[in-house]
Amino acid sequence: MTRKMTVAAIQTSYGDDLRANIAKTADFIREAADRGAQVILPSELFQGPYFCVAQEERWFATAKPWREHPCVTELAPLAKELGVVLPISIYEREGPHYFNSLVMVDADGSPMGVYRKSHIPDGPGYMEKYYFRPGDTGFKVWDTKFGRVGVGICWDQWYPECARAMTLMGAEVLLYPTAIGSEPHDPTLDTAAPWRRAMQGHAVSNVIPVVGANRTGFEPWENYPNGGQQFYGSSFIADHRGDLVAAFGREDEGALVAEFDLDFLATHRAAWGFFRDRRTDLYGALANARPA
């Protein structure tokens, strides 16, 4: 019997109300499940507005232990009800440490564990190093009911090593929840196209489908350039060639859905030889390299 996986990406806007954000996400999860989706990806930190635009200590109070986080405790029963896999992005607190994390919930509603974002950006509008420690879990691949799923979080998506590591670990699809939009220091800078192309490149180089879920909408912030942050949506699902099989524009809200034949992909990946021809004996120079 051919193994297939149907994936979905949710794109929507979010506000200040945690419960409303969870309810809105749940509605789109139901919509995607009704359309046959088995693995459904909301965007990064959908618990509230993307607060990393500035350094404000009040946001530390919104972090919770991953097993107790409301996004997990409220959506895990929905995963069980619908029989779907949910990668749930949260702001996590573990003791005195804070992480940008993802909890994988399997189709029976059971949390499978946590991944903590490996690469943490720090720049205008994306001051994440103030809020998050670098992840200490390493890259992770989840053996879900419907197949092996690898997940990186936002800034992770710019690093080819992350995608390659997860594919080497047996991932059959790669997912990236993100929150990215305007650049306050340069209103002429638009990263939407390279953001998408970088992940399409991961699909090509690893012969693997890639799903990117980004938020959309304008989030106002006092004393912020142009009055707030504009997120550019552009969520997509790419196939193993990097071709877009489903995509949203900048302002669309909803769920993208696509099905993939995992057995075909495994054979095709082997035939390309990208993993057969790897020269790990030469990678020591890369590992030991230092900036000039």
Side-chain angles (χ1 to χ4, degrees):
M1 181 177 179
T2 301
R3 297 174 58 246
K4 294 186 178 182
M5 182 191 295
T6 303
V7 298
I10 293 172
Q11 176 171 298
T12 190
S13 60
Y14 291 108
D16 295 325
D17 189 322
L18 169 66
R19 303 295 169 180
N21 292 335
I22 293 173
K24 188 174 188 179
T25 301
D27 287 343
F28 284 122
I29 290 170
R30 290 186 181 278
E31 175 191 326
D34 287 345
R35 293 165 58 191
Q38 299 166 316
V39 179
I40 303 171
L41 179 68
S43 60
E44 181 187 22
L45 296 173
F46 64 86
Q47 65 185 61
Y50 178 74
F51 52 85
C52 305
V53 297
Q55 297 180 356
E56 299 182 21
E57 63 184 35
R58 63 189 174 104
W59 294 107
F60 289 109
T62 66
K64 308 292 181 185
W66 68 265
R67 293 175 182 84
E68 304 168 16
H69 197 287
C71 291
V72 177
T73 59
E74 295 193 24
L75 291 179
L78 181 61
K80 181 177 181 179
E81 174 193 337
L82 300 175
V84 299
V85 174
L86 298 179
I88 300 174
S89 172
I90 63 167
Y91 188 15
E92 181 198 1
R93 173 175 57 81
E94 184 187 54
H97 299 151
Y98 295 80
F99 299 96
N100 186 337
S101 300
L102 182 134
V103 178
M104 184 65 75
V105 176
D106 209 355
D108 62 358
S110 62
M112 303 178 73
V114 64
Y115 165 68
R116 293 167 176 155
K117 185 173 179 178
S118 298
H119 304 92
I120 310 298
D122 186 40
Y126 303 92
M127 298 181 181
E128 295 196 12
K129 282 187 168 65
Y130 178 73
Y131 296 102
F132 314 128
R133 289 170 61 91
D136 58 5
T137 61
F139 303 126
K140 302 191 78 168
V141 171
W142 312 92
D143 193 8
T144 75
K145 176 180 178 179
F146 302 111
R148 292 181 62 80
V149 177
V151 184
I153 303 173
C154 200
W155 197 239
D156 288 336
Q157 69 91 15
W158 296 99
Y159 295 84
E161 303 93 330
C162 179
R164 177 52 55 92
M166 291 190 289
T167 311
L168 284 168
M169 294 166 66
E172 297 173 294
V173 63
L174 300 180
L175 310 179
Y176 293 95
T178 73
I180 188 170
S182 57
E183 305 287 345
H185 66 291
D186 184 356
T188 68
L189 178 60
D190 186 341
T191 62
W195 170 83
R196 184 183 275 180
R197 285 197 297 265
M199 288 181 278
Q200 289 175 268
H202 301 332
V204 175
S205 297
N206 294 286
V207 195
I208 194 170
V210 172
V211 182
N214 192 25
R215 66 175 62 198
T216 187
F218 181 79
E219 297 182 3
W221 293 95
E222 188 176 352
N223 300 320
Y224 192 83
N226 300 312
Q229 183 83 313
Q230 179 70 50
F231 292 90
Y232 53 58
S234 306
S235 303
F236 70 94
I237 302 174
D239 66 11
H240 62 289
R241 292 168 41 88
D243 295 331
L244 298 181
V245 297
F248 276 140
R250 293 172 179 262
E251 300 177 359
D252 298 313
E253 293 192 271
L256 301 170
V257 178
E259 181 185 75
F260 295 102
D261 183 332
L262 300 182
D263 290 336
F264 163 78
L265 291 170
T267 300
H268 203 60
R269 192 175 303 115
W272 268 96
F274 291 154
F275 297 89
R276 176 198 65 210
D277 298 339
R278 292 176 69 243
R279 289 291 306 277
T280 56
D281 57 311
L282 302 180
Y283 296 167
L286 177 63
N288 296 325
R290 295 291 184 270

